[in-house]
Amino acid sequence: MSGAGSTGLRVEERADRLVVTLDRPEKRNAIDTDLVAALHELCARLEREPKLLLLTGGAEGVFAGGADIAQLRERNRIDALAAINSAVFARIRALPMPTVAAVDGPALGGGAELSYACDLRICTARAFFGQPEVRLGIIAGAGATHRLPALIGETRAKELLYTGRRVDAAEALRIGLVNRVVDSPADLLGVAHELLDEIAKASPLAVRLTKLAVDAPAAAHPQLDLLGQAVLFEDPEKHRRMTEFLDRKNR
């Protein structure tokens, strides 16, 4: 099942995942209010029916060139307090099942922040990331100020946020911003699906509770880990998987 429309998203449904493509090529996939609304609808669906998510920018060699500057220029303090972009990115971050961003070409400003909201990032050799907001007179206000330090460390994040310098794929891999770099853009989605295939081999409930535990604040541990393990110890899937493991071992 797939769908497309004027919202700027194309959605392909598979048994265990959704493949979602940003689809505003004429605007370099800039994130506008219609796209934000479509992403909220996507999140609502995945909250009701948890699945893996693969998010990509399509075949045009652009992940997302940032927020729609024409719209951004007209926003005022009330719009800023409404958390237009940051709210939907936080919702993506909190989705029940893992998310993978497959990045080809530029991921800038809000586009980079959208990729940071995903659990994992894979990119092509021609991809690059950047937060140019200070050069436009604003801050990276949709997640980069806290997600980027968590991903690459405070000192590196401050440099990028203060200067707006772009990070190419090789540096992104070296500093831990991305998990893998793919040489050919034609291979990007295949590698991303391979990673999701590996995740899909695991118990869905165990993966979901692992994500919940990893994303929880430090104060929630170890109680959250113990509670999650207690749920899984009573799960029939755990018994089945361990029995199959022991059977294979004893052959």
Side-chain angles (χ1 to χ4, degrees):
M1 174 181 175
S2 63
S6 61
T7 61
L9 286 184
R10 286 188 283 116
V11 180
E12 175 193 349
E13 182 169 2
R14 300 192 181 187
D16 61 355
R17 72 197 62 171
L18 293 184
V19 182
V20 176
T21 303
L22 305 177
D23 191 27
R24 299 189 72 212
E26 73 287 355
K27 295 291 187 179
R28 294 172 62 81
N29 291 337
I31 300 167
D32 67 351
T33 52
D34 287 340
L35 184 55
V36 167
L39 288 170
H40 273 298
E41 290 180 11
L42 172 70
C43 288
R45 177 178 177 180
L46 289 171
E47 289 160 357
R48 292 191 307 268
E49 305 168 10
K51 285 188 173 185
L52 301 168
L53 170 64
L54 172 54
L55 183 65
T56 188
E60 304 298 324
V62 177
F63 180 72
D68 190 310
I69 301 300
Q71 287 189 0
L72 201 58
R73 184 184 61 182
E74 303 307 316
R75 290 181 185 172
N76 58 31
R77 69 189 68 181
I78 301 302
D79 295 317
L81 294 173
I84 295 170
N85 288 4
S86 62
V88 74
F89 294 170
R91 199 170 177 184
I92 290 169
R93 180 65 179 177
L95 286 172
M97 293 294 285
T99 56
V100 173
V103 178
D104 184 24
L108 298 173
E113 290 175 305
L114 175 57
S115 77
Y116 308 156
C118 293
D119 294 301
L120 305 171
R121 281 153 298 284
I122 295 175
C123 74
T124 64
R126 66 183 182 181
F128 56 92
F129 302 80
Q131 301 299 154
E133 285 86 354
V134 292
R135 298 186 181 186
L136 294 170
I138 59 175
I139 70 169
T145 57
H146 56 277
R147 292 198 182 97
L148 197 54
L151 289 169
I152 65 173
E154 181 181 324
T155 302
R156 284 195 181 103
K158 282 181 174 178
E159 177 197 343
L160 299 181
L161 291 167
Y162 293 165
T163 66
R165 181 173 70 82
R166 295 179 176 184
V167 173
D168 64 21
E171 183 179 1
L173 181 64
R174 178 173 58 81
I175 65 178
L177 185 58
V178 301
N179 299 85
R180 300 176 190 174
V181 175
V182 180
D183 289 333
S184 171
D187 296 331
L188 177 63
L189 290 185
V191 173
H193 279 296
E194 288 174 1
L195 178 56
L196 287 169
D197 290 342
E198 288 298 309
I199 296 172
K201 292 177 183 178
S203 157
L205 182 58
V207 169
R208 183 171 178 176
L209 290 177
T210 296
K211 175 173 178 172
L212 186 66
V214 172
D215 288 346
H221 300 281
Q223 290 83 0
L224 180 60
D225 306 78
L226 297 174
L227 180 59
Q229 197 73 300
V231 171
L232 290 167
F233 274 8
E234 299 290 334
D235 184 25
E237 180 78 357
K238 166 252 191 180
H239 187 273
R240 181 186 68 79
R241 286 172 175 266
M242 290 190 175
T243 299
E244 289 178 355
F245 172 83
L246 292 172
D247 289 344
R248 290 194 302 269
K249 185 177 179 182
N250 293 329
R251 284 177 189 158

